[in-house]
Amino acid sequence: MFEIVELADGYVGLRRAGDEGEPLIRIKFSREASNYLQESRIEVVKAMIEAGMEIFGDLAEDDASLESLLEPESRILH
């Protein structure tokens, strides 16, 4: 489980629930963007994190596909 938290330095972070250590992700909005977004800022952060996790999942699948192509069994021709 992960949680989105507002950090003391103005960043918004993603970290493991209950972990007080360094966040896995830190996002900082400019003052202008923060003023514009106001309460919607967390919703934007959620969308950004979801998009990043989707891409991360796609990359992991691509890496797994590439690794299966490089396995010795798959390169043997009879």
Side-chain angles (χ1 to χ4, degrees):
M1 296 291 295
F2 297 98
E3 61 185 356
I4 295 173
V5 294
E6 293 192 53
L7 304 170
D9 59 5
Y11 286 82
V12 178
L14 176 72
R15 65 180 176 205
R16 289 184 175 85
D19 185 359
E20 297 296 320
E22 183 72 18
L24 300 168
I25 296 172
R26 295 165 49 102
I27 299 171
K28 182 163 176 119
F29 292 97
S30 68
R31 186 178 315 233
E32 181 181 0
S34 290
N35 289 337
Y36 177 75
L37 293 171
Q38 295 180 8
E39 301 300 318
S40 300
R41 187 169 66 128
I42 297 301
E43 294 303 315
V44 172
V45 168
K46 286 179 185 178
M48 293 169 73
I49 290 170
E50 287 174 9
M53 291 175 74
E54 184 176 325
I55 291 171
F56 184 79
D58 292 346
L59 291 172
E61 287 177 12
D62 289 347
D63 285 349
S65 296
L66 180 60
E67 286 179 19
S68 69
L69 291 174
L70 297 177
E71 290 176 3
E73 303 86 40
S74 64
R75 292 186 286 162
I76 296 174
L77 299 176
H78 295 277

